[in-house]
Amino acid sequence: MGQLHRDWPNSTNWIIARLATDVGLSGSVTLSLVNPDLTTTNLGTFTINGGLGWTTYEFVYLKDTKGNNANVILNGKETLQVTSGGNLLPDFLHARPRQLDFATAKQP
């Protein structure tokens, strides 16, 4: 388990992780927001199915329970917590401003 403390700008983000696992292995990492009372709120999961090797990193988007890119709202001093579900080597996380999905956007 690891934690990332930051003063975040007010933004809605997609979170991307750089992960690796051994050839053919699968694994997951959960990302949570640490609340002021030290409980956590699950934000989503990073998953690799069928790894490419410990030295071959993959960029994986954080997914919500429906399999969509998770929209993570960050604002001010907040802490994110990473918890491994096993078999994954996390290298770094990247918060990217959320992009509108034009394929599912409503037309006027």
Side-chain angles (χ1 to χ4, degrees):
M1 174 173 41
Q3 292 187 340
L4 174 64
H5 311 279
R6 268 192 100 170
D7 191 358
W8 302 93
N10 184 15
S11 57
T12 301
N13 304 278
W14 287 340
I15 309 295
I16 305 165
R18 185 174 183 243
L19 307 169
T21 190
D22 206 3
V23 175
L25 289 181
S26 299
S28 63
V29 173
T30 301
L31 185 66
S32 302
L33 179 68
V34 178
N35 301 311
D37 63 359
L38 301 182
T39 61
T40 58
T41 301
N42 185 352
L43 299 175
T45 304
F46 302 101
T47 304
I48 290 181
N49 293 309
L52 303 173
W54 291 114
T55 59
T56 304
Y57 287 90
E58 298 178 55
F59 293 95
V60 180
Y61 281 83
L62 181 70
K63 299 292 184 176
D64 63 19
T65 57
K66 296 179 182 178
N68 300 312
N69 289 348
N71 292 318
V72 178
I73 299 169
L74 299 169
N75 184 21
K77 293 183 182 185
E78 295 184 306
T79 300
L80 299 178
Q81 178 174 290
V82 178
T83 306
S84 176
N87 292 334
L88 284 184
L89 175 62
D91 187 37
F92 70 82
L93 299 177
H94 171 73
R96 175 187 176 159
R98 180 181 62 100
Q99 302 280 323
L100 178 62
D101 184 355
F102 291 105
T104 59
K106 291 184 179 181
Q107 298 296 320

